[in-house]
Amino acid sequence: EYEKKKYNQLLNKIYFLDTDKDINERRYDYTTEFRPFMFIYKFLAKRPDACTMSTVNRLKLWIPDTILAPEGDNPPMWIYTSREGYVYRSDSFTAKNIINKIGMHTSPDELVAVLKKPQVRDYSYCGNDLKLLTTKDVSMIA
């Protein structure tokens, strides 16, 4: 029960929701006009190319390792922050690549990443489905 509660608290943080607070005390308020969903992630980092490690015109921002599930014409993407604080994107990766970077071999049940998939209702996007991933989960999804 404790683990489930902890998981849900982390998930709410990643969703940027204050569901544990009264509606008047919440820090986040979203209008229906501004909801970029998961697709905004592809704009956080340059497309991978020969100059992948260049930091010129690269966003400096810490974000958790985020795996975007493939959707339509969008390939699967792995968005991550380097040790120097720059955001990078990989369009070609395997579970082994991810596990080598963020996996916890001694604690395979420890949470290490976020999986995002678009949430669709009535044929239109209405949000993101998020799942926190353990090393064990990562080995099965990529």
Side-chain angles (χ1 to χ4, degrees):
E1 187 63 34
Y2 171 76
E3 289 299 318
K4 186 175 181 174
K5 184 178 179 181
K6 182 178 167 184
Y7 178 93
N8 287 331
Q9 286 174 336
L10 285 170
L11 203 56
N12 280 338
K13 278 186 180 183
I14 293 169
Y15 266 121
F16 291 98
L17 297 175
D18 292 294
T19 56
D20 59 330
K21 295 186 172 70
D22 181 64
I23 197 158
N24 296 324
E25 295 175 4
R26 293 183 182 174
R27 293 177 292 170
Y28 307 109
D29 184 28
Y30 302 107
T31 65
T32 53
E33 293 82 28
F34 182 73
R35 292 194 181 181
F37 309 125
M38 68 177 258
F39 305 109
I40 196 166
Y41 279 87
K42 69 182 180 180
F43 299 109
L44 294 179
K46 296 177 182 181
R47 251 180 217 188
D49 60 16
C51 302
T52 301
M53 300 318 283
S54 170
T55 58
V56 175
N57 296 324
R58 189 169 293 281
L59 179 64
K60 193 165 190 177
L61 172 74
W62 184 90
I63 60 170
D65 282 76
T66 302
I67 301 159
L68 303 175
E71 176 65 25
D73 294 338
N74 294 314
M77 286 181 243
W78 176 18
I79 310 292
Y80 58 93
T81 301
S82 69
R83 289 181 185 189
E84 295 77 28
Y86 292 100
V87 179
Y88 288 88
R89 164 183 161 182
S90 177
D91 292 352
S92 176
F93 55 89
T94 65
K96 187 176 180 180
N97 298 133
I98 297 170
I99 290 170
N100 284 342
K101 181 173 183 279
I102 62 172
M104 300 279 289
H105 299 289
T106 57
S107 302
D109 294 321
E110 191 72 30
L111 298 173
V112 294
V114 178
L115 175 68
K116 292 185 184 273
K117 293 182 181 179
Q119 190 179 74
V120 180
R121 270 193 216 119
D122 299 325
Y123 303 103
S124 62
Y125 295 110
C126 60
N128 295 324
D129 278 330
L130 303 182
K131 181 179 179 190
L132 301 173
L133 302 177
T134 65
T135 300
K136 234 188 269 183
D137 297 331
V138 170
S139 67
M140 291 186 261
I141 60 118

